[in-house]
Amino acid sequence: QLVYPHDFRLTEKEKTSICYLSFPDSYSGGLGDTQFSFRLRQAGGSRDSPFQDDGRYNREAPLTLQREAAHYFGYVYFRQVKDSSMRRGYFQKSLVLVSRLPYVNLFQCLLQLIAPEYFDKLEPCLEAVCNEIDQWPPPVPGQTLNLPVMGVVIQVRIPSRVDKPGSSPVKQCNQENLLPAPLVLPSVHELDLFRCFQPVLIHIQMLWELMLLGEPMVVMAPSPTVSSEMVLALTSCLAPLRYCCDFRPYFTIHDSEFKELSLSPPSRPNIVVGVTNPFFIKTLQHWPHILRVGELRMSGDLPKQVKVKKLAKLKTLDTKPGIYTSYKTFLHKDKTLIKRLLKGIQRKRPSEVQSALLRRHLLELTQSFIIPLEHYMASLMPLQRAITPWKNPPQIRPFCQEDFMKSLEHAGPQLTCVLKGDWLGLYRRFFKSPNFDGWFRQRHREMTQKLEALHLEAICEADIVAWMKDKSEVEIVDLVLKLREKLATARCQHLPVKEETLQRVSLYIDTIIGSLPEDLQTVLHH
């Protein structure tokens, strides 16, 4: 019906997709309000975002919270109430917030404030809200923001890449002069993992392995809320490693990509999709891993755990909850986690404490897996003494899988993790996944930038006048051009170099130019 701000451009295809994704696509007799989220591929490649920044946010934010370049997230607030004046006898409407940021908690909290008001007062309410949001500061990683909207101040801290993984959010401080007291969100994005994973707690390790390896999975749920929360929980369980595959927290049969996904075997093998329409059981039964869950109900004891079943047991109409897969895990089950969670249930520990336990366990598992890779990768970096000012910096040595496997004997995950199992087999499979590719490219890029920074520092330490003594004008001019290019790259790519180093290189360039004949000076200054 309407888009705010009015000048936000969506293609017709995107509008149609958003409309379909904003409503439950299978019969839902439930009345009242529900919230869920989706992720949508942008039509026609990446477009400039209306919010320009120089890439600073993505450089400073954790990899898992970077702004998406080619996808939008949609956060939905859907209302269904009986209304005899409507043709169908129901009032059904959704308010959707579209963003490139995966801040599910912040945006769903915002919708809880705005949507009820909007259904009541319509357009003027959105206009007022947009004017307030326009005044919000940009999300700067590491900062705590106070965000006023509709008489409430939401206070939230934007996580930063330098935060220690697994540390609890910094206690919010500057509240003394805020009246009314702010609505403090403990996290912009972290879900209640214990609640999301409650029917599959005993299989958490299998699900972690499937995510790590980028395996295709369908999550079949009774509602878009359960579907989207389960998919987001699954893709978040590798943190701080970034999940580099595609994922759709909620997906409908009207989606333009539906045909691609229903081909047998799946045409895009690395994707997790959340669905609610029973029709999908028929069309996606050739997928290797299908997780069927029922409604999430928090009860006083360990919720009923789903069983792992053979894919052949998948019934088209009456599919019982379960994980339908023939996957055999590489690592043995960790019984201590389940015991600790059970103890928490018996002692009636709050859900957020149980979630913190679960998150800590997953974090330690991921770190045990990644640390040996980080150590091996660091050993490929050239020695600092090999970096000399007048030669191009040396190359990073190539990543050799067999050398890495040999290094595991004395520096493998067994140093930090008690879990036994086929770690080598898990690494071999991981090397074939987009998650390894994404991790490797990111690390390689960071190391290359570090080398460039060290090279600039070596140039700063060098005796430039001594070097110039026996050089021809051509060689000196060539050096000026190379140094200028290095300086431009360092600034443009925001290399990890001190500002004083850049200024010294700039001064060097001026010194060198000053030593040349005037005609050359004029040319170089231009």
Side-chain angles (χ1 to χ4, degrees):
Q1 278 182 347
L2 57 105
V3 175
Y4 258 91
H6 291 308
D7 57 357
F8 184 65
R9 294 273 163 263
L10 286 165
T11 64
E12 285 310 309
K13 190 177 174 185
E14 285 166 346
K15 279 184 192 166
T16 308
S17 294
I18 289 173
C19 288
Y20 279 126
L21 287 164
S22 302
F23 287 93
D25 77 335
S26 51
Y27 170 72
S28 109
L31 293 177
D33 296 355
T34 48
Q35 287 181 265
F36 56 93
S37 36
F38 61 80
R39 182 169 173 269
L40 168 77
R41 189 172 9 173
Q42 202 170 278
S46 47
R47 287 197 296 277
D48 283 346
S49 136
F51 312 103
Q52 287 310 326
D53 76 345
D54 59 358
R56 178 184 167 187
Y57 173 80
N58 273 5
R59 278 196 311 281
E60 296 178 5
L63 297 175
T64 49
L65 288 183
Q66 286 184 329
R67 194 178 263 135
E68 291 257 5
H71 290 84
Y72 292 122
F73 288 99
Y75 303 97
V76 183
Y77 191 106
F78 168 68
R79 172 168 289 183
Q80 174 167 291
V81 286
K82 280 196 166 131
D83 182 346
S84 53
S85 68
M86 296 285 182
R87 194 160 56 95
R88 290 178 160 188
Y90 286 103
F91 168 92
Q92 291 171 310
K93 203 167 210 172
S94 282
L95 183 65
V96 186
L97 190 150
V98 177
S99 171
R100 292 177 186 281
L101 293 166
Y103 293 171
V104 58
N105 289 354
L106 173 61
F107 293 140
Q108 290 293 15
C109 166
L110 186 59
L111 282 172
Q112 281 167 17
L113 296 171
I114 304 168
E117 203 59 14
Y118 163 68
F119 293 137
D120 194 27
K121 302 198 172 93
L122 302 178
E123 198 162 341
C125 154
L126 280 194
E127 191 156 357
V129 163
C130 285
N131 287 338
E132 284 188 289
I133 294 175
D134 260 348
Q135 306 304 312
W136 286 5
V140 177
Q143 285 192 6
T144 296
L145 306 181
N146 292 313
L147 309 172
V149 62
M150 293 178 60
V152 178
V153 175
I154 302 175
Q155 189 176 81
V156 73
R157 182 182 179 276
I158 306 296
S160 155
R161 200 174 295 188
V162 295
D163 295 345
K164 194 168 162 280
S167 59
S168 57
V170 182
K171 284 279 170 281
Q172 321 283 336
C173 42
N174 45 357
Q175 294 180 13
E176 60 281 352
N177 44 13
L178 282 177
L179 287 165
L183 171 61
V184 179
L185 294 187
S187 159
V188 274
H189 68 292
E190 285 183 347
L191 295 162
D192 182 343
L193 278 194
F194 180 65
R195 195 174 58 82
C196 297
F197 282 148
Q198 49 160 333
V200 293
L201 288 170
I202 59 172
H203 307 298
I204 211 78
Q205 215 159 295
M206 173 195 266
L207 294 170
W208 175 82
E209 283 189 24
L210 292 173
M211 292 298 107
L212 182 74
L213 302 174
E215 286 286 313
M217 184 188 282
V218 185
V219 172
M220 293 186 175
S223 69
T225 310
V226 177
S227 138
S228 57
E229 286 195 344
M230 181 62 91
V231 171
L232 291 176
L234 285 168
T235 55
S236 76
C237 73
L238 298 181
L241 188 66
R242 184 183 186 161
Y243 179 75
C244 297
C245 310
D246 200 354
F247 61 98
R248 302 302 160 90
Y250 172 54
F251 191 78
T252 75
I253 50 176
H254 306 287
D255 202 290
S256 55
E257 294 172 68
F258 174 63
K259 268 203 180 65
E260 282 177 55
L261 292 184
S262 49
L263 295 172
S264 173
S267 57
R268 263 180 308 155
N270 308 106
I271 183 170
V272 179
V273 282
V275 300
T276 59
N277 192 325
F279 180 68
F280 276 107
I281 296 181
K282 194 172 175 179
T283 48
L284 302 182
Q285 59 190 354
H286 53 272
W287 278 45
H289 318 288
I290 294 174
L291 168 58
R292 178 88 162 101
V293 285
E295 276 297 349
L296 296 184
R297 288 189 188 86
M298 287 301 259
S299 55
D301 41 19
L302 183 69
K304 189 166 191 251
Q305 298 294 291
V306 305
K307 293 190 170 72
V308 175
K309 305 178 180 186
K310 293 196 170 63
L311 279 159
K313 290 258 168 71
L314 205 58
K315 298 267 194 314
T316 311
L317 281 169
D318 180 32
T319 297
K320 299 254 181 311
I323 301 177
Y324 293 83
T325 179
S326 54
Y327 180 80
K328 296 278 175 281
T329 55
F330 286 91
L331 305 180
H332 303 168
K333 226 179 222 168
D334 182 2
K335 302 241 171 71
T336 51
L337 172 73
I338 293 302
K339 283 182 185 149
R340 288 172 75 186
L341 291 172
L342 266 171
K343 193 183 278 181
I345 291 169
Q346 284 152 7
R347 292 183 177 170
K348 299 196 164 37
R349 260 193 222 129
S351 186
E352 56 268 26
V353 178
Q354 297 278 70
S355 281
L357 260 176
L358 200 46
R359 191 169 275 112
R360 175 105 235 144
H361 171 81
L362 290 165
L363 172 73
E364 285 169 2
L365 194 52
T366 301
Q367 284 180 325
S368 295
F369 183 81
I370 285 296
I371 287 168
L373 282 162
E374 299 277 6
H375 282 324
Y376 174 71
M377 195 75 186
S379 74
L380 304 177
M381 186 81 164
L383 294 172
Q384 200 152 345
R385 63 168 180 266
I387 300 168
T388 57
W390 316 122
K391 280 193 186 145
N392 281 334
Q395 296 285 303
I396 298 164
R397 290 196 300 285
F399 189 105
C400 168
Q401 292 183 12
E402 287 316 308
D403 286 354
F404 167 71
M405 291 302 206
K406 282 182 200 135
S407 77
L408 291 175
E409 285 167 31
H410 50 87
Q414 70 279 5
L415 299 181
T416 52
C417 188
V418 293
L419 282 187
K420 300 279 183 282
D422 181 10
W423 286 96
L424 296 182
L426 188 59
Y427 281 115
R428 284 212 162 85
R429 273 283 282 277
F430 178 66
F431 288 142
K432 299 190 181 101
S433 85
N435 291 326
F436 169 69
D437 189 54
W439 171 83
F440 177 74
R441 281 166 192 255
Q442 172 73 22
R443 279 289 167 271
H444 200 276
R445 188 163 52 245
E446 286 167 6
M447 285 164 72
T448 308
Q449 291 184 341
K450 178 80 180 139
L451 272 176
E452 277 298 325
L454 289 170
H455 192 222
L456 275 172
E457 278 163 25
I459 290 168
C460 269
E461 302 302 317
D463 183 347
I464 210 130
V465 182
W467 179 85
M468 280 161 51
K469 273 195 184 123
D470 55 348
K471 299 293 181 286
S472 67
E473 278 176 8
V474 174
E475 286 173 295
I476 293 172
V477 170
D478 188 47
L479 176 70
V480 168
L481 298 176
K482 273 194 178 142
L483 286 180
R484 271 190 181 161
E485 191 185 347
K486 272 193 172 299
L487 208 51
T489 306
R491 290 199 188 282
C492 162
Q493 293 183 0
H494 302 272
L495 293 186
V497 189
K498 294 191 195 85
E499 183 55 37
E500 58 189 281
T501 305
L502 297 179
Q503 283 169 357
R504 278 175 68 183
V505 173
S506 195
L507 212 60
Y508 266 14
I509 295 173
D510 293 343
T511 310
I512 302 168
I513 294 176
S515 71
L516 292 165
E518 273 187 24
D519 54 338
L520 274 176
Q521 284 191 35
T522 316
V523 171
L524 287 169
H525 278 309
H526 286 298

